[in-house]
Amino acid sequence: MTDQVEPNPEKDPSDWTTGDEPMTGPQKSYLQTLAHEAGEEVPENLTKAEASARIDALQQTTGRGS
C-alpha cells in the first residue's frame, strides 16, 4: 500500500508567515492582467495572502486557473 503525496502541497494563504507582507511584483502584474480580463479593479495595497486569494477568484472568473 502506498501513500499518495501531493507533489505541490498548498498552504492556505492565511497561514503564510509572510502573508501580511505587500504583494510581490509578479503577483501584482498577474493580478492586473486577470482583473483587466475580468473587467474588474484591483486595490493597490493588497498583502501577499490577499493577492493570492484574489488571483484564485479571478482565475475562476476568467477560466485561466483550469
Side-chain angles (χ1 to χ4, degrees):
M1 183 156 82
T2 59
D3 290 329
Q4 289 187 336
V5 177
E6 212 175 317
N8 295 316
E10 291 186 27
K11 261 182 132 173
D12 184 323
S14 62
D15 292 335
W16 294 353
T17 56
T18 60
D20 290 335
E21 294 177 6
M23 70 179 143
T24 65
Q27 278 182 312
K28 183 175 184 176
S29 176
Y30 188 45
L31 194 51
Q32 288 172 334
T33 298
L34 289 171
H36 177 74
E37 286 183 14
E40 296 187 18
E41 294 290 320
V42 177
E44 286 293 315
N45 298 318
L46 296 177
T47 65
K48 286 181 183 178
E50 291 168 335
S52 179
R54 191 84 177 116
I55 286 169
D56 288 346
L58 285 170
Q59 283 179 326
Q60 294 297 315
T61 300
T62 62
R64 278 191 173 231
S66 311

